[in-house]
Every structure is written in structure tokens, then in C-alpha cells.
Amino acid sequence: MWIANKKSELQAHLSTCKEPVILVPTMGALHPGHASLISLAKEQAGDTGTVIVSIFVNPIQFDRGSDLESYPRPLDTDLELCERHGADGIFVPDTGEVYSPDRSVTVIESSLSSYLCGATRPGHFDGVCTVVLKLFNLSRCDAAVFGEKDFQQLAIIRRMIRDLDLGVEIIPHPTVREDDGLAMSSRNERLIPEHRNDAPRIQKALLEASKQGTPEKILRVAGDLIEASPYARIDYLSLVDSETLLPVDRLSAPSVLACAVFYGDVRLIDHIDIPARKQ
Ligand code: PAF
């Protein structure tokens, strides 16, 4: 497995790589959820293709400086996990390598990012789109694997690919969960034990709510179950159309119940699909 810190090193490796090139973009602090993304990339790349994992904590997608500073960066264990799951190469640049100090071009997605995480994290998805476009360009990938856990991110990246004709295929991977149902996230490690024990209530609340018959009941049940926690604080809880991400007041089309919940200063996200109901 090769490791490139510089764009020029990445280009040198790419000149000897076989297609298809499949990118797994990450910010490191890799957990078994990421391992599944890398394994899926390997499966799709087949015997001859190339799997590249990028590890880059992208400063321009963080809206809180404290979150950026405390983001875990266990590079040695990350590299070991990548190798074990079949990555062929790793791109691990520093900030100066990715962004010029006087950079002045940003990708702005102006529709799907207005809601959910975008509403409470201004500029976050512009930062994500900008770095993902750069990583697509630098890796010249044919396809990229993204987790469905970040379903708004996935919808926005698909929109960017469509609107900018990037021609990169998206390979989605279902949310990977701990045994107790908590969606895997690099942030889970920062939960104190009381919060970690309580956090599986998020998925339980979404599952229970998804059995209800109207949008009002769905939102009420999920909200009540999460707010019954002495620790959890809802950042948002919304029922949105699965394509437009606009809030819905009917269940006539497939929708998504999505939430972000704070435990202390750790913000966790999760969602559940709500199929359309017969009217
Ligand atoms: O999902 C993530 O880890 C990040 O948002 C991504 C896609 C690697 C861009 O920095």
C-alpha cells in the first residue's frame, strides 16, 4: 500500500494504477463503518482496479473551531485499518497541500443544503462539496463510496455530480451500527459513558416513530422519546421529502425522518426512511 502526502506523489502513483479507480473519502479516525466502505470499494474494484482512501480533516467544513481542534487524528491505526481492508493507496495531505492561502473559489450548493444539518451549520456543505470536488479531480476516480448515514451529504454530492457533469459514479453503503443500534461515527468516541449508554435511544426513537401514521405523530413520538433523556438535546428533528429534502406534511411520497442530537458538545446524526403511505 502506498502513501502519498503530496499531490505530485499522488499523480505519480496514479500513472501506474489500473482502472477502475475507486475513492473512499474520509476524515480519518476510522472505525468499522469506514472499514466496510473500503471493503465495498475493494469488491467493486475487482482484482485489477485501485482503491484509494483519502484521509483529510477538512477545515473548511467545520463551523466550530473547537470541533476541528478536538477531531481525533489517529493516523497510524487508520493506515493499519486501510491496509487490512484492501486499500491500494492512501492520500493524506496537510491543509497547505490542499488549499492555497489565497484560495477564492468555493462550490456552493444552494438548495438541498438549506435544511437539516445545513440550517444549523452554515457553510458546512460548501466546504464538503469543495473538498470532494478537489478529491475527485486529484484522484481522477471513476467511482466513490459514501456512507448513507450522512444522507444529506450524499444527496448534495449526487446533486453536485449531476449539476457539474462530473461523471463520477456514487457507490452508497448502508449505515453501519453498533450492536445496540447507535450509528457508527468517529464522534462516538468522544461521548462520556453516561451519554454513550443513552445514545442508542436515537435509533429506537426513529424506529418507533416510523410506525406512526401521520407526520405529526411521527415527529411527536420521535421528539418525546429523545427528549425523555436527561442528556440529549435535539438540534433538529425533521420529516423531509427524500429527494428535495423539503419538509413534508403528508406521507404521499418517500420521506426521511432525520435528526441531529447533542450529547454535551458531541453532535450525533441519524435518520430513517419512511415509505410513502396509501392516501
Ligand atoms: O463524510 C466525511 O467524512 C467528509 O464529509 C468527507 C466526505 C470526507 C469530506 O471531507
Side-chain angles (χ1 to χ4, degrees):
M1 183 179 82
W2 48 261
I3 299 172
N5 297 114
K6 303 277 174 211
K7 296 180 203 176
S8 55
E9 292 165 2
L10 176 63
Q11 300 316 315
H13 286 294
L14 284 172
S15 63
T16 64
C17 283
K18 298 246 167 50
E19 291 177 352
V21 173
I22 305 195
L23 175 71
V24 184
T26 82
M27 296 208 298
L30 306 180
H31 51 67
H34 292 108
S36 313
L37 304 188
I38 300 169
S39 300
L40 177 61
K42 189 73 192 165
E43 211 178 288
Q44 301 283 317
D47 291 339
T48 51
T50 306
V51 174
I52 300 177
V53 178
S54 61
I55 299 179
F56 177 61
V57 183
N58 177 31
I60 68 165
Q61 71 184 75
F62 284 80
D63 43 304
R64 290 181 300 148
S66 58
D67 205 13
L68 173 61
E69 275 157 35
S70 61
Y71 204 85
R73 291 167 171 84
L75 186 58
D76 289 344
T77 46
D78 283 353
L79 294 177
E80 198 265 320
L81 179 144
C82 290
E83 180 139 51
R84 206 157 14 98
H85 290 87
D88 298 293
I90 310 294
F91 180 47
V92 52
D94 64 19
T95 303
E97 185 66 12
V98 176
Y99 295 120
S100 305
D102 61 346
R103 72 175 187 92
S104 54
V105 176
T106 302
V107 180
I108 297 175
E109 196 290 321
S110 56
S111 173
L112 305 177
S113 9
S114 319
Y115 315 104
L116 307 171
C117 291
T120 53
R121 303 186 68 188
H124 167 69
F125 287 113
D126 298 342
V128 171
C129 285
T130 303
V131 80
V132 169
L133 177 59
K134 283 169 76 77
L135 292 169
F136 284 174
N137 285 338
L138 288 166
S139 66
R140 293 184 245 142
C141 60
D142 301 290
V145 182
F146 287 90
E148 284 176 350
K149 171 174 168 276
D150 298 301
F151 96 98
Q152 185 177 18
Q153 169 171 285
L154 189 52
I156 290 170
I157 288 167
R158 284 191 159 119
R159 178 66 64 93
M160 173 174 78
I161 290 172
R162 186 198 75 179
D163 287 359
L164 300 183
D165 299 307
L166 300 181
V168 173
E169 182 198 344
I170 291 293
I171 305 170
H173 190 288
T175 304
V176 183
R177 295 184 181 276
E178 303 285 356
D179 289 344
D180 58 12
L182 179 64
M184 283 191 187
S185 162
S186 308
R187 290 162 201 257
N188 294 354
E189 290 219 343
R190 290 175 43 214
L191 293 168
I192 61 170
E194 291 88 333
H195 294 177
R196 173 62 190 83
N197 290 339
D198 191 72
R201 80 164 55 239
I202 300 173
Q203 192 214 17
K204 290 196 181 82
L206 298 181
L207 281 167
E208 196 52 40
S210 70
K211 296 177 194 156
Q212 309 303 313
T214 64
E216 297 73 33
K217 281 191 189 152
I218 289 174
L219 288 166
R220 196 175 58 239
V221 167
D224 287 352
L225 289 171
I226 296 171
E227 277 168 351
S229 158
Y231 310 113
R233 182 170 59 80
I234 295 177
D235 184 31
Y236 70 76
L237 171 67
S238 308
L239 184 64
V240 297
D241 182 277
S242 58
E243 287 207 354
T244 62
L245 306 193
L246 281 167
V248 295
D249 54 12
R250 300 173 62 205
L251 297 175
S252 48
S255 50
V256 178
L257 177 63
C259 66
V261 176
F262 275 107
Y263 279 90
D265 68 345
V266 181
R267 187 172 174 280
L268 304 178
I269 57 170
D270 205 345
H271 71 280
I272 192 165
D273 291 330
I274 311 275
R277 307 277 155 86
K278 286 206 185 98
Q279 299 295 304

